[in-house]
């Protein structure tokens, strides 16, 4: 039972790392940058 | 040997965690020029998210906020799946669970410092507390995911509902400073800013009476990491054979978790207060 749960954790970890890599390859970092490099008026309460 | 004794002493009084929290806050917000000029950092590090809640519109912020980034994908005209952000947060959650909340969140540190203010402390009735703890999952699903995905303005763009209407970190770390010192921004302040200041003041004031109320009841990032606490690699291990049932661990836990009954509780932020309080060393951090 314990082994099974360990496997699930590590399989999910591999899947999440693959998802991260897919996001990076498909240009997500640029989208993150475009949002983060300008003052987010909504975030600071200006709208 | 001397080094070991110093380390043990530091560990006993929880100084290490505070140093890590402060160090993380400084490193994540080390763009001094932003504070001097009331602007924000626009360099290459902003491509990457930090694992904790840290507003990217803070003048000192070097990295992006994961919750803000996630919402911007959902709110974009083409509604992209935030694969990088989701994958990154899931990987962090699977590795350490809510350890991030306890050790690497600047807003969590601010809440803990406010709790040191010597005023009477409040523990909510168990039933109300249990219900309110579900609020953070609703905040994640409704304000971070559903509304940014569903709502569109006349230009076909959504809104970051959590950041816009609830997040106190954005107002505290970004808004308060920028609006005070940036004349251009100050001129545009309206009702929304007043609303956000009110929300921030209420949350910060409640932090003096309740331990980490934002983390317990409202934080969508904490809700996301909580999903992984039961299966993460880093675990809180309880050794029933060593336990002398003194109850000190439960008493020490400010998140109201009983680590002898549920060491993998979704509410555990892995601060280690229970480990430090245990005279029988029945609790420890371990890997799965």
């Amino acid at each position: 039972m314990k082994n099974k749960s360990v496997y699930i954790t590590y399989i999910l970890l591999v899947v999440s790392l693959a998802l991260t890599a897919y996001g990076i390859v498909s240009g997500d970092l640029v989208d993150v940058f475009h949002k983060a490099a300008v003052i987010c008026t909504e975030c600071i309460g200006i709208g | 040997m001397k080094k070991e004794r110093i380390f043990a002493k530091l560990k006993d009084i929880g100084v290490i965690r505070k140093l890590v929290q402060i160090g993380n806050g400084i490193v994540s917000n080390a763009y001094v020029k932003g504070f001097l000029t009331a602007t924000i950092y626009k360099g290459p590090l902003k491509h990457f998210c930090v694992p904790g809640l840290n507003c990217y519109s803070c003048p000192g912020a070097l990295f992006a906020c994961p919750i803000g980034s996630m919402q911007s994908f959902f709110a974009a005209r083409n509604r992209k799946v935030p694969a990088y952000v989701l994958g990154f947060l899931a990987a962090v959650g699977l590795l350490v669970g809510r350890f991030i909340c306890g050790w690497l969140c600047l807003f969590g540190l601010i809440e803990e410092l406010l709790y040191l203010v010597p005023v009477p402390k409040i523990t909510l009735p168990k039933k109300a507390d249990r219900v309110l703890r579900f609020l953070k999952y609703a905040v994640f699903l409704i304000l971070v995911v559903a509304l940014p995905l569903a709502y569109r303005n006349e230009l076909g763009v959504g809104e970051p509902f959590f950041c816009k209407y609830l997040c106190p970190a954005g107002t505290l770390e970004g808004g308060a400073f920028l609006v005070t010192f940036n004349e251009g921004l100050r001129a545009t302040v309206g009702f929304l800013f007043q609303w956000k200041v009110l929300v921030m003041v209420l949350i910060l004031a409640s932090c003096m009476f309740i331990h980490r109320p934002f983390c317990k009841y409202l934080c969508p990032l904490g809700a996301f990491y909580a999903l992984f606490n039961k299966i993460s690699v880093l675990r809180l291990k309880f050794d029933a054979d060593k336990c002398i049932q003194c109850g000190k661990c439960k008493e020490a836990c400010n998140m109201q978790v009983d680590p002898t009954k549920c060491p993998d509780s979704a509410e555990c932020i892995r601060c280690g207060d229970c480990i430090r309080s245990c005279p029988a060393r029945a609790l420890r951090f371990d890997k799965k």
Side-chain angles (χ1 to χ4, degrees):
Chain A
M1 191 66 190
K2 192 193 164 194
N3 274 349
K4 198 176 165 188
S5 113
V6 172
Y7 285 134
I8 289 171
T9 299
Y10 285 104
I11 288 168
L12 287 175
L13 190 56
V14 170
V15 171
S16 58
L17 290 174
L19 191 63
T20 310
Y22 170 76
I24 291 171
V25 171
S26 60
D28 283 10
L29 293 185
V30 177
D31 292 332
V32 169
F33 177 78
H34 281 153
K35 180 68 182 172
V38 290
I39 293 175
C40 168
T41 52
E42 292 103 336
C43 305
I44 65 171
I46 288 174
Chain B
M1 193 64 192
K2 196 178 172 186
K3 257 187 190 173
E4 271 173 25
R5 269 209 307 275
I6 293 170
F7 186 77
K9 187 144 191 161
L10 283 171
K11 200 176 161 192
D12 281 345
I13 53 174
V15 169
I16 289 175
R17 188 170 74 92
K18 277 284 169 287
L19 288 176
V20 171
Q21 285 176 299
I22 292 167
N24 168 69
I26 292 171
V27 171
S28 303
N29 297 283
Y31 186 63
V32 179
K33 193 180 165 190
F35 291 108
L36 299 175
T37 57
T39 55
I40 64 165
Y41 171 71
K42 298 178 179 187
L45 291 175
K46 277 269 173 91
H47 285 89
F48 306 98
C49 294
V50 281
L53 199 71
N54 197 128
C55 184
Y56 40 35
S57 288
C58 168
L62 289 176
F63 301 92
C65 170
I67 290 294
S69 302
M70 192 186 292
Q71 281 177 108
S72 72
F73 278 80
F74 292 138
R77 192 175 285 129
N78 57 355
R79 292 186 176 94
K80 274 185 78 177
V81 174
Y84 158 68
V85 184
L86 278 176
F88 170 70
L89 291 181
V92 172
L94 283 162
L95 283 172
V96 295
R98 286 190 78 180
F99 177 86
I100 299 297
C101 307
W103 290 71
L104 294 176
C105 181
L106 177 60
F107 197 75
L109 170 66
I110 293 167
E111 287 181 276
E112 284 181 7
L113 294 177
L114 284 170
Y115 194 66
L116 296 175
V117 175
V119 292
K121 305 302 174 191
I122 299 170
T123 305
L124 295 184
K126 267 188 182 173
K127 207 172 175 183
D129 178 69
R130 211 169 30 236
V131 173
L132 284 172
R133 300 238 183 185
F134 285 105
L135 249 184
K136 58 180 175 291
Y137 299 101
V139 168
F140 179 77
L141 286 174
I142 297 170
L143 295 185
V144 176
V145 182
L147 287 177
L149 273 173
Y151 172 81
R152 300 284 117 176
N153 64 16
E154 61 276 11
L155 299 171
V157 181
E159 283 186 358
F161 279 84
F162 170 71
C163 294
K164 189 170 180 178
Y165 297 106
L166 190 59
C167 182
T171 322
L172 180 67
E173 296 164 12
F177 188 89
L178 288 173
V179 166
T180 306
F181 295 103
N182 186 319
E183 273 184 42
L185 288 174
R186 198 163 57 240
T188 58
V189 161
F191 172 75
L192 181 64
F193 189 73
Q194 291 164 358
W195 163 257
K196 285 212 61 172
V197 169
L198 176 69
V199 171
M200 179 190 75
V201 168
L202 286 175
I203 290 174
L204 293 181
S206 65
C207 291
M208 291 188 272
F209 302 95
I210 302 170
H211 186 261
R212 282 183 171 238
F214 181 71
C215 307
K216 281 178 184 166
Y217 308 125
L218 293 172
C219 181
L221 190 55
F224 187 84
Y225 285 139
L227 301 174
F228 300 98
N229 251 16
K230 285 194 193 305
I231 55 169
S232 65
V233 175
L234 179 77
R235 311 294 290 271
L236 185 63
K237 280 266 166 72
F238 168 61
D239 188 339
D241 294 335
K242 286 185 180 173
C243 180
I244 55 171
Q245 294 172 359
C246 63
K248 284 187 178 167
C249 52
K250 190 181 169 189
E251 208 174 285
C253 181
N254 281 312
M255 296 300 282
Q256 283 78 49
V257 172
D258 183 349
T260 64
K261 288 189 180 140
C262 192
D264 295 329
S265 164
E267 296 303 321
C268 173
I269 57 169
R270 308 224 160 125
C271 63
D273 283 352
C274 56
I275 297 174
R276 282 189 288 276
S277 71
C278 179
R281 298 191 183 276
L283 288 156
R284 68 179 196 280
F285 284 132
D286 205 343
K287 76 174 179 64
K288 198 166 186 167

